[in-house]
Amino acid sequence: RSQNNNVVTPSIGVNFNFAENLYLHSTFGTAYTTVDVFSIAGYSETEVSTDTVDVFRGNPDLENQSSQTFDIGLRYSKPDNGFSADLTFFYTSFDNNVVSTVSQYPDQLAESGAVIRNLNSYANAESTTLSGLELDVNYRINKSLGVFVNGVYILKAEEIREIYRQPDPLTLDMHNVANLSLNYGVDYSKKWFS
């Protein structure tokens, strides 16, 4: 398949200092991701037994993925004592998110002529939404040394997709999305070393 992708992905943001050291911020943005070649046109067979294989086959009908993200948050920043904290709510809606699919014994033969046990492919999810809270806290102990902690807590990570042998699409949790992720550490930098 041949396809040209001319896409504009606008975004806008505001940052409002409404009280001493307090800021209200918000952004809206869009994004666009092209589908990788293997998901569209890839093909491979893995032998399961003498005349049975598992097949991975691309889907030439896949649509490219796009998304819209909105966030709003509150930031406290006091540079004279080196402390800052930010709490942000975010919501992302994906169109045509690419998800993996599998069907068992699909009544067709592989290119090698073997019986297909599992036919693995890809499809576009009907709808995908992701929302959560993001926290970022920093404290500078002195000019060279600081500590930080940041984390993301997922409130919702769902996609509506078709499932093998189900008559209607189902709402499922997204795969590979942690409910909570935390990072913390020490930041040291002095002249040529960091």
Side-chain angles (χ1 to χ4, degrees):
R1 103 184 187 183
S2 175
Q3 184 175 0
N4 291 324
N5 297 296
N6 298 312
V7 180
V8 176
T9 56
S11 62
I12 188 170
V14 294
N15 189 25
F16 178 58
N17 182 199
F18 66 93
E20 186 178 2
N21 304 318
L22 283 173
Y23 300 83
L24 181 67
H25 60 84
S26 182
T27 60
F28 174 80
T30 61
Y32 182 84
T33 305
T34 56
V35 181
D36 68 88
V37 173
F38 185 81
S39 297
I40 295 171
Y43 184 88
S44 69
E45 296 181 19
T46 303
E47 186 175 327
V48 177
S49 63
T50 307
D51 59 353
T52 305
V53 294
D54 285 343
V55 171
F56 286 84
R57 182 169 62 201
N59 177 357
D61 297 324
L62 284 179
E63 298 290 333
N64 293 318
Q65 175 183 297
S66 62
S67 64
Q68 303 82 40
T69 297
F70 167 78
D71 68 56
I72 186 167
L74 185 66
R75 185 173 83 245
Y76 175 82
S77 178
K78 197 166 183 182
D80 57 342
N81 71 4
F83 180 78
S84 67
D86 188 298
L87 180 63
T88 300
F89 167 80
F90 63 89
Y91 178 88
T92 302
S93 173
F94 297 90
D95 296 319
N96 299 319
N97 191 33
V98 176
V99 295
S100 59
T101 63
V102 61
S103 55
Q104 296 179 324
Y105 295 102
D107 266 350
Q108 53 186 285
L109 297 178
E111 290 181 6
S112 64
V115 173
I116 298 174
R117 181 184 69 169
N118 292 314
L119 176 59
N120 301 274
S121 190
Y122 305 91
N124 292 116
E126 190 173 306
S127 173
T128 304
T129 55
L130 180 66
S131 64
L133 296 169
E134 184 173 2
L135 176 67
D136 187 22
V137 179
N138 293 277
Y139 177 64
R140 297 302 303 176
I141 299 168
N142 56 45
K143 288 184 179 180
S144 302
L145 186 64
V147 292
F148 66 90
V149 61
N150 55 56
V152 175
Y153 178 70
I154 298 299
L155 299 170
K156 181 179 181 181
E158 293 180 343
E159 56 193 10
I160 300 173
R161 55 189 288 194
E162 293 183 2
I163 301 295
Y164 177 62
R165 291 194 170 183
Q166 295 295 322
D168 297 312
L170 298 177
T171 300
L172 304 170
D173 290 336
M174 291 178 69
H175 292 208
N176 303 318
V177 177
N179 288 333
L180 177 65
S181 60
L182 285 173
N183 294 306
Y184 53 88
V186 176
D187 174 28
Y188 180 80
S189 61
K190 193 167 187 178
K191 293 184 180 177
W192 51 269
F193 181 81
S194 65

